[in-house]
Amino acid sequence: MPRFPVVTPQRSYDAIIERGLISRASGYVPASAGIVFVVTTEDVWKLFGAALESALRGRSFKVLFFPGGEERKRLSEVEKLAEQMVEAGGDRTSLVIAFGGGIVNDIGGFLASAFMRGIPLVQIPTTLLAQVDAAVGGKTGVNLVSGKNLFGAFHQPLAVLIDPDALATLSDREYRAGLYEVIKCGVIRDPELFRLLESRHDDVLARGPEVVDRIIAAAVRIKAEVVSADEREGDLRRILNFGHTVGHALEAETAYSRFLHGEAVAFGMKAATLLARGAAELPDADCSRILDVIDDYGPIPALDGIAVDRLLARLQSDKKTLKGKVHFVLPERIGAVRVVSGVPDNEIRSAIEEALTGLWGRMSSCAAVVNRRRPINNRPQLNKLPHIGH
Ligand code: GLY
């Protein structure tokens, strides 16, 4: 089964994809570790707790339940978990297993990064989104009132254990939310993965084991390569934010309650793709294919009541995080993207409006808007990023 090395200045480790791996997790927890704290939710524990429990038989471990929900991914919850660890005798030899979806991986990872100034972590993601994105690469953290994931740390795990069998019980909606992050990987770096998502649509949605293993492996390979080249998101790692600029604005605007993260990213990818027609010269055919594949794995929840002005205001308030400029990851073609800043507000507005209303016309090409492109010398600044592989 595939293993993808993640090599960072902080630590090098493998993301391992193997069916049934949860029940073999013990092999990835060093014998020298003290108490193993499993951070999870009650739902995940009901489904997979027995498998992990049998894997940890003979070890000293304690299960800590997090109530779940993006709105509860807060510092106050980390403090509660840390107090429970101290009460249970946790010390610097303890280890955290973050066992669940993206939110559990974020909060459990952050807990490990800060408990006793940092203890080892093993990530066991159980949703597709966490398997292909959240659990790989060491980003951990919680939300602040002022924004998502604004408080956290890079804390690389000892291993990421990806068991695709865990996906069998995932709701259809959660599964599709994870598929959007896989689509993201295809657009930013892997035309072959993108074609696979187009051509094996029904098998992918039916969760055929062979194709599921392939798409997970392709996405994790990309994530591992990108993080290994740029752990701290100084440069290349920013490409993983395709769809996230507008996606985060949509999540914040709907108080993290209407859209799953992957669904918000799907909307953000549509907006970025529509924006890319003018700003990054995305060919019409590629533009249509990206919009179509996102729709084919949909739908996302209804967008009614979302005002473009409110999303634009959210983007502006995010400006402070990147030297006062809104940055977009825009596809140049399927498999290659650029990070772009300085896109005129009216173009951002049009792209978001079109994403909200679907005005581009499904299956019609993006040619209708090509004439709106600016002359070449009036294009926004394209920050060149290295392309490895494709
Ligand atoms: N989810 C984007 C990243 O890990 O950089």
Side-chain angles (χ1 to χ4, degrees), residues 253 306-316 349 352-353 356:
E253 182 56 23
I306 309 286
V308 67
D309 286 329
R310 301 273 313 160
L311 292 182
L312 287 170
R314 296 264 175 199
L315 291 183
Q316 297 305 321
R349 173 182 287 277
I352 294 177
E353 272 170 356
L356 282 171

Side-chain angles (χ1 to χ4, degrees), residues 124-294:
I124 309 184
T126 58
T127 64
L128 182 59
L129 186 131
Q131 293 185 346
V132 298
D133 188 54
V136 183
K139 277 190 183 176
T140 74
V142 294
N143 302 326
L144 297 181
V145 173
S146 29
K148 191 170 172 178
N149 297 336
L150 291 185
F151 201 84
F154 286 95
H155 190 60
Q156 302 293 347
L158 300 182
V160 183
L161 309 182
I162 298 169
D163 183 348
D165 280 345
L167 304 184
T169 50
L170 206 58
S171 73
D172 188 47
R173 184 178 174 200
E174 288 266 7
Y175 179 66
R176 283 185 289 105
L179 287 175
Y180 295 124
E181 291 278 3
V182 181
I183 293 171
K184 177 193 85 176
C185 291
V187 174
I188 63 174
R189 232 168 134 80
D190 192 343
E192 201 182 312
L193 170 61
F194 192 90
R195 273 193 295 276
L196 185 70
L197 291 165
E198 288 179 314
S199 62
R200 302 280 306 273
H201 170 268
D202 293 353
D203 296 337
V204 171
L205 279 185
R207 308 183 202 187
E210 173 264 335
V211 77
V212 166
D213 289 2
R214 272 177 74 186
I215 62 172
I216 294 175
V220 171
R221 178 182 59 77
I222 290 169
K223 183 91 196 241
E225 278 176 10
V226 170
V227 171
S228 298
D230 175 23
E231 181 195 20
R232 301 269 161 163
E233 200 174 306
D235 190 2
L236 183 67
R237 189 166 179 166
R238 290 156 73 191
I239 69 174
L240 297 172
N241 293 333
F242 173 49
H244 286 59
T245 308
V246 173
H248 276 176
L250 183 66
E251 283 184 283
E253 182 56 23
T254 51
Y256 303 100
S257 56
R258 194 189 311 183
F259 299 93
L260 297 174
H261 175 66
E263 293 168 339
V265 167
F267 176 76
M269 289 193 293
K270 279 184 168 185
T273 299
L274 291 159
L275 195 57
R277 291 169 313 197
E281 300 187 289
L282 176 67
D284 298 335
D286 285 14
C287 174
S288 295
R289 284 174 67 199
I290 297 170
L291 296 176
D292 285 347
V293 93
I294 294 169

Side-chain angles (χ1 to χ4, degrees), residues 1 11 35 42 44 46 108 114 118 129 204 206-207 217 233 247 282 294 319 342 375:
M1 269 303 208
R11 176 175 290 113
I35 302 176
E42 286 188 358
V44 168
K46 264 184 215 139
L129 186 131
V204 171
R207 308 183 202 187
E233 200 174 306
L282 176 67
I294 294 169
K319 272 185 172 182

